[in-house]
Amino acid sequence: MFSALLCGAAVFPGLFCSFRKILKLRQWSERDAVVISERLVSSIHATLATAAGVTVVASCRDVMTDSHWLVNWFIFFGAPYMTYDIFAMYLCHYHTQRVRGVSPAGSGHCLQSVRAFLIKDWMLVLHHAALLVVFMPIALFLRRGLGDFFIGCMFTTEFSTPFLCIGQILIQLGLDNTKLLKVNGIILLLSFFTCRILIFPFMYWMYGQQFRIPLHRVPFHLPLHCNLGNLVILSPQIYWFILLLRKANRLYLRRRRQVDKDEPKTK
């Protein structure tokens, strides 16, 4: 497993540096190179996590006792990504603030810029830190080898991330009025709702099928800490989904105003 940890520590920062260098060689600005590189690496990690999750879920017949070697391997492999991505998000924030003129042109990295980043993206930072400090020890050491099926389901929640990154890249490239962004937005909303919200009742339903328990009674057959843990994970997903809906609504209204403005007035 130590080899998986080293592999992850080399792969994700290595991909980021490679993408960043390639984009800068093609005359992209520092800010664009950093932001797009971070989103490309996020998409790659999410694709690998989803593939691992689907593999584990498809191989587990018994949702409690069946195990798969890929679970522990990918947890070790993905752990360095969480640390890397916090730093990469900070770089995105730092260069974006400089482009917007919020930070002085000659200023470098300092505690003030780090503090501003933590205030702005505190929930994402907390999410990454919680995965490292809470989820990883529980998944590796405290669950006693049980529930690989449910860990695989957690991996598949990353399925929507590439579509989120594609949308952000399209907006950054000035393609926010294209049909491609609209189609990608619809896929993002559907995939996010399915894989990050509906996945929880699906896991409860699969547990009920395993032990012949009606879905509405499954929570009463689980330990309290299991239900609380699921609630803690689910809550930010609902919050982020609401933010996505609001953003989609703003883009739709802006597009409608633009269409109305471009239409010729009739008497």
Side-chain angles (χ1 to χ4, degrees), residues 89-148:
M89 289 190 299
Y90 163 72
L91 288 180
C92 293
H93 169 81
Y94 172 77
H95 289 290
T96 298
Q97 295 298 92
R98 292 193 67 181
V99 169
R100 292 176 178 175
V102 177
S103 300
S107 66
H109 301 283
C110 60
L111 289 177
Q112 183 178 355
S113 60
V114 173
R115 181 174 178 272
F117 161 69
L118 293 176
I119 292 175
K120 178 180 179 295
D121 293 322
W122 68 271
M123 182 168 282
L124 284 173
V125 174
L126 180 63
H127 172 260
H128 282 46
L131 288 176
L132 280 174
V133 178
V134 180
F135 175 79
M136 184 176 174
I138 290 176
L140 290 175
F141 309 115
L142 299 181
R143 62 188 181 89
R144 296 169 298 173
L146 299 175
D148 280 20

Side-chain angles (χ1 to χ4, degrees), residues 219-244:
F220 301 101
H221 285 258
L222 295 174
L224 178 61
H225 65 268
C226 291
N227 290 313
L228 290 178
N230 285 330
L231 183 61
V232 168
I233 298 174
L234 177 61
S235 298
Q237 313 306 325
I238 296 175
Y239 172 74
W240 285 324
F241 184 67
I242 293 173
L243 291 183
L244 287 174

Side-chain angles (χ1 to χ4, degrees), residues 2-267:
F2 185 67
S3 61
L5 191 68
L6 289 178
C7 185
V11 167
F12 298 114
L15 285 173
F16 176 78
C17 293
S18 299
F19 287 138
R20 183 179 180 182
K21 185 174 182 179
I22 292 171
L23 292 175
K24 289 190 69 176
L25 288 175
R26 293 181 174 273
Q27 308 303 316
W28 288 61
S29 68
E30 180 70 22
R31 181 247 184 183
D32 288 343
V34 167
V35 172
I36 291 181
S37 296
E38 189 271 336
R39 287 164 185 167
L40 289 174
V41 176
S42 293
S43 298
I44 292 173
H45 169 265
T47 302
L48 294 175
T50 302
V54 170
T55 301
V56 172
V57 169
S59 68
C60 292
R61 302 303 178 193
D62 189 303
V63 301
M64 291 301 298
T65 60
D66 282 357
S67 62
H68 197 288
W69 65 269
L70 196 53
V71 169
N72 286 352
W73 190 92
F74 193 84
I75 290 174
F76 276 104
F77 175 72
Y81 167 80
M82 299 302 165
T83 303
Y84 141 81
D85 199 45
I86 292 175
F87 178 69
M89 289 190 299
Y90 163 72
L91 288 180
C92 293
H93 169 81
Y94 172 77
H95 289 290
T96 298
Q97 295 298 92
R98 292 193 67 181
V99 169
R100 292 176 178 175
V102 177
S103 300
S107 66
H109 301 283
C110 60
L111 289 177
Q112 183 178 355
S113 60
V114 173
R115 181 174 178 272
F117 161 69
L118 293 176
I119 292 175
K120 178 180 179 295
D121 293 322
W122 68 271
M123 182 168 282
L124 284 173
V125 174
L126 180 63
H127 172 260
H128 282 46
L131 288 176
L132 280 174
V133 178
V134 180
F135 175 79
M136 184 176 174
I138 290 176
L140 290 175
F141 309 115
L142 299 181
R143 62 188 181 89
R144 296 169 298 173
L146 299 175
D148 280 20
F149 172 85
F150 301 109
I151 303 297
C153 288
M154 290 293 101
F155 288 164
T156 63
T157 60
E158 292 290 335
F159 179 71
S160 62
T161 300
F163 302 106
L164 176 63
C165 294
I166 290 172
Q168 293 171 335
I169 292 174
L170 290 174
I171 292 175
Q172 186 174 343
L173 295 177
L175 301 175
D176 49 342
N177 289 320
T178 61
K179 290 184 178 180
L180 179 59
L181 180 66
K182 182 178 180 180
V183 172
N184 181 78
I186 294 173
I187 297 175
L188 169 61
L189 290 174
L190 291 176
S191 61
F192 194 101
F193 182 72
T194 301
C195 296
R196 287 184 179 254
I197 296 178
L198 289 185
I199 192 69
F200 288 91
F202 169 74
M203 290 190 292
Y204 277 65
W205 178 77
M206 287 297 295
Y207 182 91
Q209 291 291 106
Q210 179 79 44
F211 296 100
R212 302 180 183 276
I213 303 171
L215 177 60
H216 68 280
R217 296 198 58 83
V218 169
F220 301 101
H221 285 258
L222 295 174
L224 178 61
H225 65 268
C226 291
N227 290 313
L228 290 178
N230 285 330
L231 183 61
V232 168
I233 298 174
L234 177 61
S235 298
Q237 313 306 325
I238 296 175
Y239 172 74
W240 285 324
F241 184 67
I242 293 173
L243 291 183
L244 287 174
L245 288 175
R246 289 177 178 174
K247 186 172 183 178
N249 185 57
R250 287 197 302 268
L251 290 174
Y252 172 77
L253 293 176
R254 186 174 69 183
R255 192 174 293 113
R256 284 301 309 167
R257 286 195 294 268
Q258 185 64 37
V259 170
D260 294 341
K261 183 179 178 181
D262 294 340
E263 286 181 352
K265 295 181 179 180
T266 59
K267 293 184 179 180

